[in-house]
């Protein structure tokens, strides 16, 4: 387990530009020896898995549904949870850092679960948060796939012990 | 099942002012015949359950842990999921509308899961969201417990069918 | 929480005789002030809820699907987990004792989860178990609904602390 | 995804003989190119992962807890579900066949969840089941690790579609 596990999260549907970003994030993670964790479906998840696969990387898809065939074609290791969106917790908890690209409310739930567990979240064109009119700066911004991957790998350490 | 189920979500720790808001929300829900759903623990959850109980209402606590004794003393119906924060999905899915009071990342994950399922979320001093520098207006603001309960009961309808 | 919570588990499809047994179990639980917990669907679950409702009891249905409308008509408190069969854990953990009537593999998984948590299981025409050719006597047999309810209420105590 | 995923299930504590069986099952699976899925903890799970690792195989541990450090040292891919025993569903659903060795009620719940999903279960010195005094022959017996692995690989096909 000295490999780093990085989650890439984002919408099941996404723009062309987001697809490009996700594929490049996947490529960079694979080139640098990290294992890609994602929710296993289409959109950002598929683009990231494609990028990683093209560079010979390992891809894990933690699926909401109850059949491995629901995974995108670039998932090498499908985990079939059959638990719907409760699987979002497992996607982020299985990673040491998270890269969020675009995304809708499902992605926001994953960002929240990660931050709740002190797992660093790097954002590329994604949500920003404020609470009681004060900006919450927990999502670390990145301007490019390379910067996102740099920051994710840098921050990827074992989650803090609970005690 | 003609009763309305309303979830009250918020931090396990909260300020005095938030406690007051949550208790008043609980009272109003009970007075108006709604059933209170929450995560069953302390803070906002306990204050809301206390308010509802004082008015003779019914309170449901969907617990993350694996023992009913972890519920706050005002939970009448403890649901023991033993699933950790994956239970956040069940808290919001079991309601027809959600009132969010203050809260941290766990609350934000519940807001996200609700919005993802088209369940209306009313906010009292809670998160605000923006995406790609555009404000997301899905959280419906309220200025008082009464307004929050009014809006929640008004919007509480059966979730849309998936087809 | 001084009320006793008793789970009734069994198949979503069942014989006429099993339906009769389940309805009578539901009636007896309600008459004796216990709250009925079940998986919220048809068959044994519906018959038990019907029996309890006819006697003015309270019924909780912990549903696998993602809409409260999937509950049988006698469920008063639908809990929408959206987690599929992972909800079986919550069904038994939310009870202080379990009555199993007939049932197939889903029921067997609930029996197993209960026994793993030291929650007593009373069996009416249900599974019997052996391990390495030795009978496992953990499922407590009952010959009638009344005997099942007697034993369940007698054994229903708080689950042991984990420490 | 043309690799076969086989789950090995059994107790977190086990006898010396069971340890030997599990390690040999792990070795054989790896030698024959299958990927090992398990619950990621000690006992049978650790022995099977050790056997697979010694032969250069891939091992996946789907953990109940909320930290990857709870995995046994031979788990290469830890999936952190933080969902307690609800993860048992994911262990079996992520495999095309299951080999059960010994085991207690947790193992029995996994056997049940597998049979409920039409995933074949091969048994080595494990539970046997009967229902209404009729033996249930769904668990396919094996007399040796080699026979168990032969049967598992032979039966490992994609789970049936739900329609």
């Amino acid at each position: 387990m000295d490999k780093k596990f990085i989650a890439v999260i984002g919408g099941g549907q996404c723009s062309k530009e987001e697809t490009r970003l996700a594929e490049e994030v996947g490529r960079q993670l694979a080139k640098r020896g990290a294992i890609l964790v994602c929710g296993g479906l289409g959109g950002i998840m598929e683009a990231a898995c494609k990028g990683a696969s093209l560079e010979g990387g390992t891809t894990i898809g933690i699926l909401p549904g109850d059949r491995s065939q629901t995974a995108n074609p670039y998932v090498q290791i499908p985990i079939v949870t059959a638990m719907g969106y409760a699987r979002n917790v497992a996607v982020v908890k299985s990673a040491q850092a998270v890269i969020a690209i675009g995304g809708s409310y499902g992605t926001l739930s994953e960002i929240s679960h990660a931050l709740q567990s002190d797992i660093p979240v790097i954002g590329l064109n994604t949500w920003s948060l404020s609470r009681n009119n004060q900006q919450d700066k927990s999502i670390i911004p990145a301007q490019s796939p390379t910067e996102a991957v740099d920051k994710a790998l840098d921050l990827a350490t074992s989650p803090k012990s609970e005690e």
Side-chain angles (χ1 to χ4, degrees), chain A residues 8-157:
Chain A
V8 178
I9 62 176
Q13 298 185 329
C14 63
S15 69
K16 269 199 182 169
E17 172 59 10
E18 288 172 335
T19 303
R20 194 189 63 75
L21 292 172
E23 188 175 324
E24 184 59 24
V25 164
R27 279 183 185 273
Q28 299 262 353
L29 287 171
K31 278 188 188 167
R32 298 173 63 178
I35 291 177
L36 171 66
V37 180
C38 73
L41 302 180
I44 292 294
M45 299 169 263
E46 180 164 348
C49 287
K50 184 178 174 190
S53 287
L54 291 174
E55 299 291 343
T58 298
T59 60
I60 301 170
I62 302 181
L63 297 159
D66 93 339
R67 301 178 60 225
S68 61
Q69 290 86 338
T70 57
N72 73 59
Y74 305 100
V75 169
Q76 294 156 22
I77 298 180
I79 304 295
V80 181
T81 69
M83 288 176 201
Y85 292 111
R87 75 78 153 85
N88 292 8
V89 175
V91 171
V92 298
K93 290 260 190 191
S94 297
Q96 287 131 31
V98 173
I99 298 173
I101 303 171
S104 185
Y105 301 116
T107 304
L108 183 58
S109 77
E110 291 173 316
I111 291 172
S112 314
H113 286 300
L115 294 176
Q116 188 179 25
S117 300
D118 284 325
I119 297 169
V121 177
I122 324 298
L124 267 172
N125 300 345
T126 190
W127 291 94
S128 58
L129 310 173
S130 46
R131 193 163 22 163
N132 292 328
N133 301 315
Q134 282 214 293
Q135 222 197 320
D136 177 296
K137 301 192 172 170
S138 303
I139 301 176
I140 298 157
Q143 306 308 323
S144 68
T146 304
E147 188 189 344
V149 170
D150 280 349
K151 288 185 167 173
L153 291 177
D154 198 44
L155 293 165
T157 51

